[in-house]
Amino acid sequence: MPRIALLAALLLAGCAATPPPAASGAFTPMRWPALTDRAKPAPDATVAYGADAMHKVDVWLPAGTGPHPTVVMVHGGCWTSSIADRSLMNWISDDLRRDGIAVWNVEYRGVDLPGGGYPGTFRDVAAATDSLRTHAAHFRLDTRRIVAVGHSAGGHLALWLAGRPKLPTGSALRTADPPPIAHVVSLGGLPDLEATAAATDNGCGTEVVGKLVGPSPTERRDVYADTSVPRLLPIGVPHTQIVGREDRIIPIRLPQGFDAAARAAGDNATLTIVPGTGHVELIAPETAAWGQAKRAIRKALKP
């Protein structure tokens, strides 16, 4: 079985490897079907931000006339489109909508699609976020305080969005005046690409990082300078990492290492480790982990 297909099968099963049988009373992580087999809520609208079929954003609008507080949502899936797309975030997007918060749920090309990887994946996420300004008035979205929320690989991309003003001069990813992000909530994210590439026990594997950061049309001496969030520290944006203590996809030392680096650089960083929580629980609306995330989102959206 090809590497990508094998990885997809493992992640869709709910963990990076088949877990051992649980002992009596032991915690068993939620598997993907426990979430994805539910009735799937639908967004209120879908808009295009580019010409590619993947250049789409789903818009989730709460009741009322607005302006609505707004979250930019970024899905994970190991930066690989065959593993996950934006619909994986439908359940928490609906939960936020019911709570009076609008969601700008972005799609992007993964490393397995033409145009994905560097610079395409990053440019897609940036363009999708930039398009929020274009449509804000129509959908009555409040863009004064945008909170970026990302799960798994999307946690990396959400933090990267906040760090865009720190991208080095000359980077192919640098754009003028990106929308400011007020806060980031990373749910089981992988913000440090160098650490991820060295972590053979991470559920995304190590090969995907190389596909994400290169090769590129022009030679780059340092492929992490404009792609890995620690290279942009301090990003100057408060950020909250929420991770499951029993997450079998994201080794807990990875978010711990990023938290330590961000604090050392002077960022306002928070790391919350939720017991009795794996990887899927982070985006299941009924869980304690998502409850923690919602509290962080609500707090960050307050003026």
Side-chain angles (χ1 to χ4, degrees):
M1 181 181 291
R3 168 72 175 172
I4 289 294
L6 175 60
L7 179 59
L10 292 172
L11 286 178
L12 290 173
C15 56
T18 302
S24 178
F27 171 74
T28 301
M30 182 184 290
R31 291 177 176 271
W32 286 117
L35 177 67
T36 58
D37 285 355
R38 306 175 187 186
K40 184 179 290 186
D44 295 281
T46 299
V47 299
Y49 65 87
D52 193 273
M54 297 294 284
H55 289 162
K56 297 291 192 294
V57 175
D58 286 340
V59 190
W60 300 73
L61 297 173
T65 58
H68 306 296
T70 303
V71 160
V72 170
M73 188 76 75
V74 191
H75 72 83
C78 297
W79 305 278
T80 303
S81 296
S82 62
I83 293 177
D85 62 24
R86 67 189 185 278
S87 69
L88 191 61
M89 313 304 276
N90 280 25
W91 292 273
I92 58 172
S93 294
D94 179 57
D95 190 55
L96 290 173
R97 174 173 62 181
R98 292 171 182 270
D99 204 33
I101 298 170
V103 178
W104 192 255
N105 186 19
V106 308
E107 191 57 88
Y108 56 90
R109 290 169 294 178
V111 301
D112 54 333
L113 292 181
Y118 187 94
T121 297
F122 296 91
R123 284 180 172 170
D124 284 1
V125 174
T129 303
D130 293 350
S131 70
L132 175 58
R133 281 174 167 162
T134 304
H135 299 279
H138 175 74
F139 291 115
R140 306 180 304 282
L141 305 177
D142 186 349
T143 59
R144 292 174 297 178
R145 292 187 64 79
I146 300 169
V147 174
V149 177
H151 175 243
S152 198
H156 157 252
L157 292 169
L159 283 158
W160 179 85
L161 284 171
R164 286 172 68 196
K166 303 296 291 291
L167 289 172
T169 302
S171 167
L173 307 180
R174 189 177 176 90
T175 57
D177 192 30
I181 304 296
H183 197 102
V184 180
V185 178
S186 172
L187 305 169
L190 290 162
D192 188 334
L193 297 182
E194 291 175 274
T196 302
T200 56
D201 57 341
N202 92 79
C204 286
T206 57
E207 295 174 6
V208 69
V209 177
K211 295 177 181 179
L212 177 68
V213 300
S216 66
T218 58
E219 183 178 352
R220 293 179 295 146
R221 292 196 198 95
D222 184 355
V223 296
Y224 296 113
D226 57 354
T227 58
S228 187
V229 183
R231 296 297 190 91
L232 307 177
L233 293 174
I235 62 174
V237 175
H239 46 91
T240 301
Q241 292 189 98
I242 297 175
V243 300
R245 190 176 64 190
E246 289 79 26
D247 194 326
R248 292 174 176 154
I249 292 175
I250 308 300
I252 202 164
R253 70 181 185 279
L254 298 182
Q256 287 174 327
F258 176 72
D259 180 72
R263 288 172 177 270
D267 270 342
N268 179 355
T270 302
L271 173 64
T272 299
I273 299 171
V274 187
T277 298
H279 199 60
V280 183
E281 288 89 342
L282 296 169
I283 54 171
E286 73 278 10
T287 64
W290 176 242
Q292 295 261 21
K294 278 183 71 175
R295 284 190 286 275
I297 292 166
R298 287 196 202 101
K299 182 178 179 181
L301 285 169
K302 290 180 179 178

